[in-house]
């Protein structure tokens, strides 16, 4: 009996001695788990930092792309303005700026004297263009047809397309059958086209073609009808119109531009 009691006491003492060691092992496991969790959190933070760095790099690349597009857009605007200036210079020569060269008479070595150029009215060269903004009454008082036309065209060259549209409209009210009416219709359409008002642009270009089918701007007007249709998303109609430009005006600048645009449209359709 005593032996059994002594054995039980010994076992109990052994359990009591082992308890602190077990508690120590449990505490150590908790600490290891906490360290592992901290390491996991640090790894997650590192991944997050890497993602943030990548996003910053992408934003920087996008910013560079935006700046390049802004630069290209500025160059395009400048190119359009230079084109308008060049067209205006050509128009002035055609309308009486430079004297045409007359061929020599048969059998004669000396050229005939040039035909005197038709000079524009004095008001167009000696007076400062009036500073008005589309008021028909003010334009009527300001002077002759050429001066009135120049006011609208100057606004167009300066990129003031809303002003130029109003000025050309006023010009056409004053001089509906004037010498510059076809040009005014064309540039009125251009004013709308530049502001992406494609339906109004197409309407004015069609009016030009309808009223002045043999005018030298008729080919450009038909080209711009097609481009206006394309800008408005009417791709099929635009293709038909551009094909008409190529067929009706072969060899012209308008036909070459129409052909280039047709190729661009077809290429875009193949890529899709």
């Amino acid at each position: 009996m005593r032996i059994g009691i002594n054995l039980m006491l010994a076992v109990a003492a052994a359990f009591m001695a082992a308890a602190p060691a077990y508690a120590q092992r449990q505490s150590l496991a908790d600490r290891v788990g906490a360290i592992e969790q901290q390491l996991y959190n640090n790894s997650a933070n590192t991944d997050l930092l890497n993602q943030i760095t990548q996003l910053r790099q992408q934003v920087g690349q996008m910013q560079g792309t935006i700046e390049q597009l802004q630069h290209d857009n500025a160059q395009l605007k400048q190119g359009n303005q230079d084109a308008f200036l060049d067209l205006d210079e050509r128009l002035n020569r055609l309308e009486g700026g430079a004297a045409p060269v007359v061929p020599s008479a048969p059998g004669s070595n000396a050229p005939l004297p040039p035909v005197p150029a038709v000079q524009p009215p004095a008001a167009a060269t000696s007076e400062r263009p009036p500073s008005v903004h589309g008021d028909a009454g003010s334009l009527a008082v300001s002077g002759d047809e050429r001066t009135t036309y120049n006011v609208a065209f100057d606004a167009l060259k300066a990129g003031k397309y809303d002003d130029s549209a109003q000025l050309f409209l006023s010009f056409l009210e004053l001089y509906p059958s004037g010498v510059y009416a076809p040009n005014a219709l064309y540039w009125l359409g251009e004013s709308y086209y530049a502001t992406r008002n494609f339906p109004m642009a197409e309407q004015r270009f069609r009016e030009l073609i309808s009223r002045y089918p043999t005018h030298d701007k008729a080919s450009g007007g038909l080209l711009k009808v097609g481009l206006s249709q394309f800008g408005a998303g009417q791709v099929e109609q635009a293709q038909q119109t551009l094909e008409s430009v190529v067929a009706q005006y072969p060899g012209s600048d308008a036909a070459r531009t129409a052909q280039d645009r047709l190729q661009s449209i077809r290429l875009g359709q193949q890529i899709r």
Side-chain angles (χ1 to χ4, degrees):
M1 185 67 177
R2 289 183 178 179
I3 295 174
I5 294 173
N6 292 334
L7 179 61
M8 293 176 62
L9 291 173
V11 170
F15 273 113
M16 291 179 64
Y22 174 78
Q24 289 179 359
R25 287 197 300 272
Q26 185 67 26
S27 176
L28 180 59
D30 292 340
R31 291 169 61 188
V32 170
I35 293 173
E36 290 177 345
Q37 183 65 35
Q38 185 176 2
L39 291 175
Y40 174 79
N41 291 337
N42 289 338
S43 177
N45 291 337
T46 301
D47 292 340
L48 182 61
L49 289 175
N50 290 336
Q51 293 177 10
I52 292 174
T53 302
Q54 292 176 356
L55 288 174
R56 286 176 177 173
Q57 291 175 350
Q58 293 176 2
V59 170
Q61 293 173 353
M62 293 176 65
Q63 183 66 31
T65 302
I66 291 172
E67 292 176 355
Q68 182 62 42
L69 290 174
Q70 290 174 339
H71 175 70
D72 294 343
N73 186 45
Q75 287 187 325
L76 180 60
K77 288 182 178 180
Q78 183 63 44
N80 288 338
Q81 185 172 354
D82 293 342
F84 281 135
L85 292 172
D86 181 62
L87 286 172
D88 187 39
E89 182 180 355
R90 295 181 186 179
L91 183 62
N92 288 334
R93 290 199 299 267
L94 290 173
E95 293 170 347
V101 178
V102 180
S104 303
S108 173
N109 294 327
L112 294 175
V115 177
V118 179
Q119 297 297 327
T125 57
S126 60
E127 294 183 6
R128 182 179 180 182
S131 178
V132 292
H133 299 281
D135 181 74
S138 299
L139 288 174
V141 174
S142 67
D144 54 33
E145 179 184 349
R146 179 57 188 267
T147 301
T148 308
Y149 176 84
N150 284 343
V151 173
F153 196 82
D154 287 344
L156 181 73
K157 290 189 297 183
K160 301 176 181 178
Y161 301 118
D162 291 334
D163 290 344
S164 66
Q166 293 299 319
L167 289 165
F168 280 122
L169 282 171
S170 298
F171 173 87
L172 291 168
E173 291 177 4
L174 289 170
Y175 306 101
S177 302
V179 176
Y180 298 100
N183 294 332
L185 278 171
Y186 181 86
W187 294 120
L188 175 59
E190 284 283 7
S191 298
Y192 289 130
Y193 186 87
T195 56
R196 304 183 65 81
N197 190 345
F198 299 119
M200 290 296 294
E202 180 182 352
Q203 178 183 342
R204 293 304 178 175
F205 289 128
R206 286 191 180 278
E207 184 179 354
L208 165 65
I209 299 168
S210 175
R211 291 177 57 184
Y212 306 98
T214 60
H215 193 270
D216 59 358
K217 285 194 176 296
S219 61
L222 186 58
L223 170 66
K224 280 307 179 75
V225 168
L227 296 181
S228 298
Q229 291 171 330
F230 183 79
Q234 302 169 357
V235 180
E236 184 175 351
Q237 296 91 323
Q239 286 182 282
Q240 294 175 356
T241 303
L242 294 174
E243 289 170 354
S244 298
V245 175
V246 176
Q248 294 181 29
Y249 305 99
S252 65
D253 290 340
R256 284 188 288 271
T257 302
Q259 187 63 53
D260 291 342
R261 186 53 63 93
L262 280 169
Q263 292 177 355
S264 176
I265 293 174
R266 291 164 183 163
L267 180 61
Q269 291 173 337
Q270 292 175 0
I271 294 175
R272 292 178 182 177

